[in-house]
Amino acid sequence: MPGRVILDTDTGVDDALAILLAMRSPELGIDAITGVCGNTPLDHCMRNILITLDVLDAGQKPVVARGEARPLVRELSFAGDIHGDDGLGEVTRLVDSEGTRVYPDPVQLESPIHAVDLILESADRHPDELTLVAVGPLTNVARAIMKDPERMRGLREIIIMGGAFETGGNVSPVAEFNIHADPHAAQIVCDSGIPLVFVPLDVTRQAFLDAGTIGRYAGEGSARATFVRDCTARYVAFHRRNRGVNGCFLHDPLAVAVAIREDLVTKVPARVDVETAGDLTSGMTVSDLRSARWGEPNARVCTALDVQAFIRLFEERVLA
Ligand code: RIB
Ligand code: CA
């Protein structure tokens, strides 16, 4: 639902595309972007958020605040093979013919406020108006709930890129990366009583952007499209190697798009829980979308996507 938003992200490549979409969408007022460990160490995540914001035209930049550097219980596990050692497709190593970095380290400073406190203070300031879009592990969100559950229930809703319901996982046969990286945090969010929308692999794997489309816009000289081409090159190569497709899944941008236009997806109410102890199933989103017999719904799960409408929105807002 359009309105005020905080974007919580473990800025990796698709997170960066989600930041561009959010910042280029007038329906959303981006109060802040908060960083959390996940795809890449927190220091890289914070730098990547700021580098991505620098790609956009100058103008009002949102507050950027640092969050949790490690999961609640599980060990850290990064996704360097997909997002690069810098978490941004290795664009921090790109130099021009004079040896000058194409994407230099940012000048904008992070907020001195911790992400958890910023989320709580924003929820206080905008009761029932603020949507939290979480596109990384849910560590920051869980820490805020643990710190003050009542204040967090002042959020309008949390839109979560995460989970795999009627499809396989991407870090195990049953688990999706964001939930798997911090399953204990995800279960705390499931138990919070805050309205939740899951944007799982079931729909994000339909949100496929062809590399040819990226190249076409980059060829037209758009700085944003050039950045998208540069930061997704490795991400696309991963998809080509592992899925035999010439493009990439827009997991995180879809979660932002659901905040912009919820008519892009079909949602079903469901009880969702997270496996936190299983040897084989840790990080699995446990839910039965076909039956309400397992408990009162605590979330709505996206089960279908208007793919063409989403890709058109992404192209118009980010690439053009
Ligand atoms: O499973 C996809 C999710 O894991 C995305 O948020 C991607 O950025 C990674 O964090
Ligand atoms: Ca992410």
Side-chain angles (χ1 to χ4, degrees):
M1 193 181 304
R4 310 192 79 92
V5 165
I6 285 184
L7 182 60
D8 190 66
T9 164
D10 60 333
T11 304
V13 172
D14 61 324
D15 305 70
L17 308 189
I19 291 171
L20 294 179
L21 178 59
M23 293 299 294
R24 296 270 301 163
S25 295
E27 301 87 345
L28 305 182
I30 309 299
D31 272 19
I33 299 176
T34 51
V36 67
C37 66
N39 286 320
T40 194
L42 185 58
D43 284 346
H44 289 170
C45 167
M46 299 313 297
R47 180 197 54 196
N48 295 345
I49 293 171
L50 294 168
I51 285 177
T52 302
L53 289 173
D54 281 346
V55 168
L56 293 162
D57 305 332
Q60 186 61 31
K61 298 268 178 77
V63 171
V64 174
R66 178 180 291 253
E68 296 297 309
R70 56 178 315 102
L72 298 186
V73 176
R74 273 181 48 84
E75 291 305 312
L76 276 167
S77 62
F78 303 126
D81 55 330
I82 302 172
H83 297 268
D85 294 340
D86 66 357
L88 203 52
E90 306 288 337
V91 294
T92 57
R93 295 177 185 206
L94 275 181
V95 293
D96 63 18
S97 51
E98 276 86 52
T100 307
R101 274 184 57 185
V102 176
Y103 301 101
D105 281 347
V107 292
Q108 181 183 343
L109 297 176
E110 298 172 21
S111 163
I113 304 172
H114 188 282
V116 167
D117 296 319
L118 188 73
I119 290 168
L120 285 165
E121 288 166 17
S122 299
D124 294 343
R125 264 202 313 278
H126 310 293
D128 298 326
E129 288 180 0
L130 183 69
T131 295
L132 181 53
V133 180
V135 295
L138 293 166
T139 316
N140 286 345
V141 184
R143 284 281 185 208
I145 293 167
M146 292 159 75
K147 186 162 189 176
D148 198 322
E150 202 44 48
R151 290 167 72 190
M152 281 296 278
R153 276 193 279 275
L155 288 174
R156 174 192 277 171
E157 68 181 355
I158 303 176
I159 298 174
I160 300 161
M161 190 281 128
F165 289 79
E166 295 182 338
T167 186
N170 59 2
V171 287
S172 82
V174 295
E176 176 278 325
F177 178 86
N178 287 336
I179 307 298
H180 182 266
D182 197 338
H184 302 83
Q187 184 60 52
I188 287 170
V189 175
C190 287
D191 291 336
S192 67
I194 301 167
L196 307 176
V197 175
F198 279 89
V199 184
L201 294 178
D202 307 61
V203 288
T204 64
R205 281 184 174 139
Q206 298 174 44
F208 179 76
L209 181 64
D210 183 86
T213 303
I214 300 172
R216 180 159 45 82
Y217 283 99
E220 291 165 8
S222 148
R224 271 177 280 103
T226 301
F227 171 73
V228 170
R229 181 199 60 198
D230 291 346
C231 76
T232 58
R234 183 190 184 92
Y235 189 52
V236 167
F238 170 83
H239 287 74
R240 209 179 282 129
R241 243 185 355 266
N242 289 274
R243 290 233 166 219
V245 291
N246 186 34
C248 59
F249 296 134
L250 298 179
H251 301 291
D252 295 344
L254 182 54
V256 168
V258 170
I260 299 166
R261 279 187 49 193
E262 56 182 329
D263 66 324
L264 286 173
V265 291
T266 303
K267 298 189 277 282
V268 297
R271 172 73 216 180
V272 180
D273 288 289
V274 177
E275 176 57 62
T276 57
D279 293 336
L280 297 175
T281 56
S282 178
M284 178 178 182
T285 37
V286 180
S287 182
D288 182 351
L289 301 185
R290 297 164 297 259
S291 162
R293 61 189 288 206
W294 307 114
E296 277 301 300
N298 59 344
R300 290 179 295 159
V301 177
C302 298
T303 56
L305 166 66
D306 181 342
V307 176
Q308 283 190 337
F310 167 63
I311 295 298
R312 189 165 51 247
L313 177 75
F314 184 84
E315 283 189 38
E316 288 166 0
R317 299 283 173 91
V318 177
L319 294 175

